[in-house]
Amino acid sequence: MNIYHVTREFDTFLKRENLSGYKDRIDSILEIYRERPGGLIPVLQQVQEHIKYLPPVVQHYIAMGLGVPSSDVYGVVSFYSFFTMKPRGRHLVRACLGTACYVKGIQRVIDKIETGFNLKMGGTSEDRRFTLQGVRCLGACGLAPVVMVDDDTLGEVDPSKIVKLLEKYE
Amino acid sequence: MERVYRTHILVCAGTGCVSAGSLKVRDALVREIEKHGLEEEVMVATTGCNGFCAAGPIAVVHPDGIFYKRLNVEDVPYFVEELLVKGRVVEKHLFAEEERNELIPVMNDIGFFKNQVLVALKNRALIDPDVIDEYIGRDGYVATSRALTEMSPGAIVEEIQKSGLRGRGGGGFSTGLKWKFCMETKGDVKYILCNADEGDPGAFMDRYILESDPHAVLEGMIIGGKAIGANKGYIYVRAEYPLAIQRLNTAIAQAREYGLLGENILGSGFDFDIELYYGAGAFVCGEETALMQSIEGKRGMPRPRPPFPAQKGLWGKPTVLNNVETYANVPQIILRGSAWFSSLGTETSKGTKVFALTGDVNNIGLIEVPMGITLRKIVYDIGGGIKNNRELKAIQIGGPSGGCLPASIIDTPVDYESIIKTGAIVGSGGMVVMDDSNCMVDIARFFLEFTAEESCGKCTPCRVGTRILLEKLKDITEGRGKDGDIEILETISRNIISSSLCGLGQTAPNPVLTTIRYFRHEYEAHIYDKKCPAGKCKALISYIIDPEKCTGCMLCKRNCPQECITGEKKTPHVIDQTLCIRCGLCYESCRFNAIRVE
């Protein structure tokens, strides 16, 4: 694929996802990090913040923008759990998989979320409202079991109340 | 002239208390105090985490140091009325120790606090982490000034070496020696890194320190930078710690403003600056070479050593990497001297260690104790014993690299050497207390699930070995265990330990080996009797209703998702074992203890 193809596909993707407004922002991120060694991970973090996920067309565009092989970008995206290639919901629900949460029954909380919003661990609900992920210990063991919704930390979560708690997030 | 207040109410603003609503309590306090016209006399301030997370939201009222737990917005008017208008201690929110059955008003009289020795956490619950002046007011940056203007790099390294400080991230390598190697390596450009990629399940020491005392870490890094000759530092912090990131950013900006970071710090001619780097969620990046790969923008996979990072680290330059807690100790050593530091702890393990005490213990929270303290003291004196009067079964120490120690060796002192003898490691400081309802085979499976998932895949013993261990453990917990499985687990574990590339693989089998060593009978019960003694492994248990005790209240029947409980009102119910998925909802909902696990 040449530069023309990559750019055209990226533009089509942004248009389809209603994200064309972010094009300039992404270009300026790439501009900032182009000459900086080790810039790939911060670029991916920032781009994902805007367009929520990193499918191959985005990876190709980033690779081109930074002047690195697409395989390197794919290698990094697939390695770190922070990056996702699948679309995410409007709200990211992260269930803590640490020991304390495990001992305090996080699995029952997860079961309730899965049945309550009809989604699977690692997946997104049909209406793209929630994405459910497991996360390495959040370090809030005093509050176990813990669920993080976007930047909110919910502690001492009662499995019978979690669906209701999540209803607040539109 | 600063205003003098008669009373200071310090509200905890750690992650635990904030999510329990402490900031709303603070706002309500401020409003209520204004309503009484007392704002000239009483100051309300927020501090870093208090450590006693289980009691949040917490406030400590000075000058008397009275500890109030579980505050809430509704109680604020009453609280202010009692405390500030009538001048009484508010008994309703005081802490009570179950055994002694008495209220303990003063914070430092409470067992949880009394038995701790604070070095890395010396500013606990005393300062606002977002205000550099408060840190400076507690002797902050005095050590930096001394190190930068009065001490040579060699003198700093010697002081740290003499103190006996060892890496608090888990390895326990001498910090002074590490610095010495790097100092002696020639090079124009060197780096000093801080590992804040805390990832052990059940550990939150680094999060706490970064959130409540970020300047202590910056100071440790500045002193380390001067010692090894580095002008640039990176803090590799987890992106999942938003509050820690925010406070670090504030701290760095304030330090720059005060000329404590940047060019020619304190007129010493030494230049140093710190940058944050956000981890992207890979446990293996806690390993030093993997962390450096990650900062370089690559997949975070470890590489063989030598060359050691002190010779060739980040971008091929000499590099020192230490953990958050290690850095927080450094300014104290420079300030108070190596002799003072080495007077704490044991012969080979000096100083203190911060632990995240969690699980089935009454007082959950963050503690700092002198090395050499016994596990018994931690669990009973500080932790306040086991919840719900159950039996202590095991203490998991060191996370996925550590092991489960049985109640029978609870008098083991906590220092690097003694803990290694038990088959676990001190590790970064996770300590999960488990009662008799936990199944040790299941816990081993839990940790292997974690390490198998987080193995980076570079070396075969770890990538394949952890999978095999996990499959075997799954077989055992799901009733497919065979004679000889325990021996297979042991052999494979030994092979993984001896042939893995990095610390992740070399320690991953520890949870398996320690549980086999101390709880072999549980493995045997799973394999030969197809029973789970703790009643945890779903495939090996059944829920049975005791017809004698069942009152026929229908509650379990209504809750059963499988609709497999039958029985009429006021007659004993029966569970259809062929349909039961063993979710345990009936067991939990029964108010008459009529359901038992077999």
Side-chain angles (χ1 to χ4, degrees), chain B residues 260-289:
Chain B
L260 295 162
L261 283 176
E263 286 176 12
N264 192 15
I265 300 172
L266 299 169
S268 65
F270 175 64
D271 305 336
F272 189 74
D273 210 349
I274 293 175
E275 210 178 300
L276 293 191
Y277 195 93
Y278 306 134
F283 177 69
V284 70
C285 288
E287 199 278 340
E288 58 178 1
T289 57

Side-chain angles (χ1 to χ4, degrees), chain A residues 98-116:
Chain A
T99 322
C101 291
Y102 183 72
V103 169
K104 295 274 179 75
I106 190 79
Q107 192 53 47
R108 290 213 312 280
V109 177
I110 294 171
D111 293 346
K112 286 281 177 193
I113 300 174
E114 286 185 336
T115 49

Side-chain angles (χ1 to χ4, degrees), chain B residues 39 63 115 149 194 206 249 280 326 330 345 379 427 451 484 497 559:
Chain B
E39 65 270 26
N115 295 295
T149 56
C194 174
D206 297 349
N249 274 322
T326 314
V330 167
V379 172
T451 32
I497 290 174
N559 276 325

Side-chain angles (χ1 to χ4, degrees), chain B residues 219-294:
Chain B
E219 216 184 332
M221 289 181 74
I222 298 170
I223 295 167
K226 158 94 179 188
I228 65 163
N231 301 109
K232 178 89 195 171
Y234 287 96
I235 301 178
Y236 187 94
V237 58
R238 283 183 72 185
E240 289 96 341
Y241 283 4
L243 187 62
I245 290 172
Q246 181 200 324
R247 294 209 169 135
L248 272 173
N249 274 322
T250 310
I252 291 172
Q254 289 178 344
R256 280 190 191 134
E257 198 186 310
Y258 277 56
L260 295 162
L261 283 176
E263 286 176 12
N264 192 15
I265 300 172
L266 299 169
S268 65
F270 175 64
D271 305 336
F272 189 74
D273 210 349
I274 293 175
E275 210 178 300
L276 293 191
Y277 195 93
Y278 306 134
F283 177 69
V284 70
C285 288
E287 199 278 340
E288 58 178 1
T289 57
L291 186 148
M292 291 168 199
Q293 295 277 313
S294 181

Side-chain angles (χ1 to χ4, degrees), chain B residues 166-188:
Chain B
R166 295 168 67 171
R168 296 292 193 244
F173 189 77
S174 158
T175 305
L177 211 54
K178 199 190 248 183
W179 289 14
K180 189 166 177 232
F181 290 144
C182 194
M183 177 184 77
E184 287 168 351
T185 307
K186 288 200 170 53
D188 298 337

Side-chain angles (χ1 to χ4, degrees), chain B residues 195 197 283-292 301-303 305 321 501-504:
Chain B
N195 185 351
D197 189 44
F283 177 69
V284 70
C285 288
E287 199 278 340
E288 58 178 1
T289 57
L291 186 148
M292 291 168 199
M301 305 221 261
R303 62 162 177 77
R305 290 165 298 182
L321 172 83
L501 178 60
C502 81
L504 194 154

Side-chain angles (χ1 to χ4, degrees), chain B residues 93 143-144 188 221 240-241 265 268 299 343 374 457 469 539 560 576:
Chain B
H93 292 285
T144 298
D188 298 337
M221 289 181 74
E240 289 96 341
Y241 283 4
I265 300 172
S268 65
R299 290 166 76 97
S343 70
T374 60
L469 289 182
C560 178
D576 182 345

